[in-house]
Structure formats: C-alpha cells, structure tokens
Amino acid sequence: MVKYKLSKYNFFEKQDDNTVVGINLINKNVFGLESRKYELLTQHADSLDELKDINENLFNALRKLGIIINEDIDEMKQLLLEHRKFIYSKNIYRLTIIPTLDCNFNCWYCYEEHVKGVMSGKKQKAILKHVNQYIAEQNLSFLQLDWFGGEPLLYFDEVVFPLSKKLKKTCLNHNIHFSNSITTNGSLMDESMIKKMKLIDLNSFQITFDGSENLHNKVKNNNDARNEYKITLNNIFKLCDFLDNPDILVRINYTAENLENIKEIIHDIPNDYKKKIRVSFQQVWQTLQSQKNIEISSVENEFINSGVFVEKPYLYPMPYKCYADLLGQAVITQDGKVFKCTARDFAKQEPDGYLQEDGNIEWVMPYYLRLSKTTIENDRCCKCKYLPACWGPCSQKVIETSDKNFDSICNSRGIEATIRNILSDFYKNKIITIG
C-alpha cells in the first residue's frame, strides 16, 4: 500500500482570514487554498490517507502540485542528482568573450578598469580552436555566445562580427544550436551594424539606462553635445524594427536620488515598442548599504500599468544559482585570460586560467576549488528548507569566504523575502482556490 508524506519544501503564507497561498519550491507552482482546507491539511499531516478519505479532490490536487508526495521519495537525493547533472554537464557551453576592456563612457559605479586595447586576430583564432576542440571532445548540443566588456561594440567589425560569423558557421557544420547575446550601453549602434547583427543571430541584448534623460546623460559623463539617452533609446527602437523577435532587456539602475525621475522613461517609449522590451530594475550596488530600504514597487507598477513587462525577483527555474557554477562555461578576455565570473575587475584580479594558442585552457587552482564540489554540498544548504529556490551561495564567494563566515554569503533571508513577495503578488492578482 502506498504511503504519503508532506514535501520538505512546502511554503504557506496566510493572506487573509479565508485564504492561504502556498507553493512547493521544487515544482514552483503557486496556488490559493481556503483557510479551512489548509487547516484540514495540517490536521492530517501525519495521516494523509485519512485526508484522502475526507476530501479526495483536495488530496489529488495537492499531490499534483507536489505538496503531498510518496513516503519513499528522498527529495534531497533527487535534488542533488539533478543539481550535479546540470553543473557537470558539457552538452551546453556558455562562452563569454570580452573583445576589449575599454569603454566610451566612464560611469561612476563601474567596477572595471577601462584598459585600452582590443583582442588580436591570434586570440580570436585560439578561441575558434578552443570551440572546435570542445566540440570534438564533448557531445555539445548548444553553444551560447555572450559578448561583454568594457563596451564590446567598440570593436564590432574587428571582433564581434567576424568571430560570431565563424562560430555560427562552426555550429551549423556540426548541427549545434547557436545563440548570440550582448551586454552593451547601446550607444554605438546604427542601422548598418544592426543589419549585420541579423546575419550573426545577435538578437539578445541587455542595455542599461541610468534614469531619465538628464540623469542618464549626466552619468554617462559625455564631453560632447550628444544626447546619449535619446541615441540609445532610438537604437532600441531600431533593434525592434530590424530584427526578428529581438530579446531586449532594459536594465534601469536606480538609487534614492534618481528613483522618482525614472518614471519619465515611460513617456519616451511609444506603445508599440513597450510590448517588445522587458525592464529590470537594479539598485546600484555601491548604494546597497547606505540606501537599504528603497521602495521600488510603485515605480515597477507604473511601468507595468503602461504596458511594459517588468522582471521581478523570481525563484531560479534551473537547478543551479549562476552560469559561473557550470563546468561548461568560460569568460575569455581580450588578452586571453580566462575567468568564471563576469563580476570581476579583469585588469587587476587573478584569472582562473589562460587561453593557449592551440585552443586549450590552462586552468589554475581557483577553478579546481570551485568545481571540487558544488555550492550546495554542505550541511547548511542540504538541511535548508529553501534549497530548491536558492541552490546555494555564489561559487565565487564560496572560494573567497571561509566556512566560519558562511552567514555572510547565505541568501536564505533574501530567498524567503522573494517567496513571500511572489505569494503576495499572486494573492493580489490571481486568486484561485483548489480542492
């Protein structure tokens, strides 16, 4: 006879006298439940067979949602197996290329040192050899190419376009899926460049704004009469017009000083384009300590009400925290240094490896420390009730932090706040009770 138990990873939050909203953190399905039915569930937590006899519809619905599971299921073991399968897989390779550390702007919050120079033809050939070796050695099915900097579009014709074209052709010849994306300030694009982007499948963009027109232009610290805000905004419109199904994420950096003015951006985006972009609000990291309690939700709601899709904090859909945790991932700089993390001062910090002329990467110790065990393979994470929503701390921080300071890199409180916000938003917008 099959016996049942409650999942270890259920989370419930009472919203009013009649409604409880719940989620199973493995399946990540949010649902509403009448308070009396929630009480029925808790009363029979240790006798779920009786619950089935009392209210079979409720029992079956909760089983489907993963709230109730078979007693013989070891959830932690399954999570760890799934986690390790993704972390150590080489079927997908995410390759980030930095053609230059130089930039045409000097934003006050940028953590990178803007070193002059560009990736040489010799380094580009080494990258091609590297990808071909990876394909030969692994059962690669997907190459995800990312461009980062500095400002990568400073050298679009010299590096981004020709190298993308060759890598796309390599993937086509080996029947490997190819994607191409870029993080850029968006100021250097023109119609000619955008048409070339189409040829190399470069259709995914993260473009940053630093507030409304005046504030954005002030942060960009330009010495000429160019209105960088309008130039970048118009370039986004061109991407929407010229590219097929572009994926455009507009990152809006906010502080306490620019928060109110951000709303002005809404009026500068025609309705037809609002449907083609996503917006993500990110607090400038240097202000996180001094401006902890900035309330962004009212600004987000104004964007949403205007027809713009706003990305909000979410639970990780994949069984790992960050691309840098993956074995099949590398960041290669203009001078052939190799990192795992992009949140680095590439000019000053020691790399995880070096790209050789023959295409091999000579890895050094930080890389092996990172991958000797995954971020969740510790007692704290394995026992944590938020594990399927968090997947452990940043692997870069694990290397840099001693075991005694684990609290400083644990994100359980942040994850709990995110879960509560998700349940609250569900309650406000889409109440559906079950059972």
Side-chain angles (χ1 to χ4, degrees):
M1 180 179 177
V2 178
K3 293 188 177 182
Y4 304 98
K5 64 182 178 181
L6 291 177
S7 168
K8 292 167 53 179
Y9 303 109
N10 296 329
F11 192 101
F12 294 94
E13 183 85 347
K14 186 175 182 179
Q15 301 295 327
D16 60 36
D17 289 341
N18 298 315
T19 309
V20 173
V21 177
I23 184 173
N24 176 264
L25 298 180
I26 295 177
N27 298 324
K28 299 178 178 60
N29 293 316
V30 184
F31 60 92
L33 195 62
E34 292 178 7
S35 294
R36 61 183 180 84
K37 293 175 182 174
Y38 174 70
E39 290 171 4
L40 191 63
L41 173 64
T42 56
Q43 289 169 5
H44 294 87
D46 297 322
S47 54
L48 292 169
D49 286 331
E50 293 181 12
L51 175 64
K52 185 178 181 181
D53 294 334
I54 296 169
N55 190 329
E56 188 171 4
N57 287 338
L58 174 62
F59 177 88
N60 289 336
L62 293 175
R63 275 209 70 195
K64 188 174 181 179
L65 290 164
I67 301 297
I68 296 173
I69 61 175
N70 290 4
E71 190 177 53
D72 60 352
I73 292 177
D74 186 332
E75 291 177 288
M76 179 59 221
K77 183 177 180 180
Q78 290 185 349
L79 288 173
L80 182 58
L81 287 173
E82 185 180 15
H83 177 67
R84 290 177 66 88
K85 180 179 74 174
F86 274 85
I87 293 296
Y88 295 119
S89 171
K90 287 192 173 183
N91 292 338
I92 298 173
Y93 193 37
R94 179 166 179 160
L95 179 61
T96 301
I97 301 175
I98 299 174
T100 183
L101 294 177
D102 198 6
C103 187
N104 55 320
F105 294 137
N106 188 28
C107 303
W108 65 270
Y109 53 76
C110 186
Y111 54 81
E112 292 177 18
E113 185 174 330
H114 294 155
V115 178
K116 301 289 183 181
V118 58
M119 179 176 283
S120 67
K122 183 180 290 186
K123 294 297 181 188
Q124 293 180 54
K125 288 179 181 178
I127 289 175
L128 283 171
K129 290 178 182 178
H130 171 65
V131 171
N132 276 288
Q133 286 180 9
Y134 199 98
I135 291 171
E137 295 170 1
Q138 309 299 331
N139 186 27
L140 188 65
S141 60
F142 181 22
L143 175 65
Q144 182 176 348
L145 185 60
D146 298 316
W147 296 98
F148 197 68
E151 173 47 54
L153 292 183
L154 280 171
Y155 295 101
F156 178 81
D157 286 324
E158 295 83 357
V159 184
V160 177
F161 181 73
L163 193 48
S164 292
K165 190 175 180 180
K166 291 172 183 175
L167 289 170
K168 177 185 174 181
K169 184 178 180 180
T170 296
C171 289
L172 184 64
N173 291 339
H174 291 86
N175 196 30
I176 293 169
H177 182 71
F178 173 78
S179 76
N180 206 353
S181 64
I182 190 167
T183 299
T184 172
N185 59 48
S187 69
L188 299 176
M189 292 183 283
D190 56 29
E191 289 185 14
S192 174
M193 183 184 291
I194 292 171
K195 288 177 181 178
K196 287 184 176 180
M197 289 175 174
K198 191 170 183 178
L199 298 175
I200 56 174
D201 296 345
L202 182 51
N203 61 2
S204 181
F205 303 83
Q206 178 176 300
I207 300 173
T208 302
F209 281 95
D210 296 298
S212 58
E213 184 173 341
N214 290 335
L215 292 173
H216 179 84
N217 289 334
K218 184 178 179 181
V219 170
K220 293 316 176 194
N221 195 23
N222 234 21
N223 295 321
D224 56 34
R226 281 168 52 104
N227 186 324
E228 298 296 347
Y229 175 86
K230 286 188 175 179
I231 289 171
T232 300
L233 196 60
N234 285 329
N235 284 340
I236 290 175
F237 301 157
K238 291 175 186 175
L239 290 173
C240 293
D241 291 336
F242 284 97
L243 298 182
D244 299 326
N245 301 315
D247 177 20
I248 302 171
L249 175 64
V250 176
R251 172 181 172 136
I252 300 179
N253 293 328
Y254 69 89
T255 65
E257 288 72 31
N258 74 358
L259 193 63
E260 192 62 31
N261 300 86
I262 284 174
K263 299 173 186 177
E264 297 175 17
I265 298 174
I266 296 171
H267 307 296
D268 296 328
I269 306 175
N271 288 334
D272 287 345
Y273 293 113
K274 287 177 180 177
K275 302 173 185 177
K276 298 180 179 181
I277 64 173
R278 297 174 292 125
V279 168
S280 174
F281 292 95
Q282 300 291 331
Q283 186 173 352
V284 176
W285 65 274
Q286 287 93 336
T287 69
L288 289 173
Q289 293 300 318
S290 60
Q291 302 176 354
K292 285 184 178 179
N293 299 314
I294 299 178
E295 181 53 57
I296 189 67
S297 60
S298 63
V299 178
E300 290 177 333
N301 289 335
E302 289 206 33
F303 274 78
I304 293 169
N305 292 335
S306 77
V308 177
F309 179 85
V310 174
E311 288 198 340
K312 291 196 173 187
Y314 62 92
L315 305 181
Y316 297 98
M318 302 300 287
Y320 58 88
K321 171 65 68 71
C322 174
Y323 56 80
D325 299 340
L326 302 174
L327 180 63
Q329 179 270 342
V331 181
I332 302 179
T333 66
Q334 65 185 60
D335 54 359
K337 292 178 182 176
V338 184
F339 295 82
K340 293 292 289 179
C341 178
T342 53
R344 305 281 89 195
D345 183 339
F346 298 111
K348 292 182 178 179
Q349 292 177 302
E350 290 298 315
D352 295 299
Y354 298 88
L355 178 66
Q356 307 299 305
E357 285 189 26
D358 62 3
N360 284 310
I361 293 178
E362 182 181 302
W363 295 102
V364 294
M365 185 52 69
Y367 170 78
Y368 296 104
L369 288 174
R370 184 191 300 272
L371 291 170
S372 60
K373 61 180 180 178
T374 70
T375 53
I376 70 170
E377 293 183 71
N378 60 78
D379 287 341
R380 284 281 295 275
C381 289
C382 288
K383 294 177 181 177
C384 180
K385 61 183 178 181
Y386 303 126
L387 177 60
C390 174
W391 296 109
C394 164
S395 58
Q396 184 69 41
K397 291 178 181 177
V398 170
I399 294 173
E400 298 169 354
T401 307
S402 69
D403 291 338
K404 294 180 181 179
N405 294 322
F406 190 88
D407 285 341
S408 67
I409 60 175
C410 175
N411 193 37
S412 60
R413 284 185 295 180
I415 290 293
E416 181 178 352
T418 296
I419 295 169
R420 293 185 187 279
N421 288 336
I422 289 171
L423 299 188
S424 176
D425 285 347
F426 178 87
Y427 170 72
K428 293 174 183 176
N429 299 307
K430 189 180 178 183
I431 284 296
I432 301 174
T433 56
I434 63 169

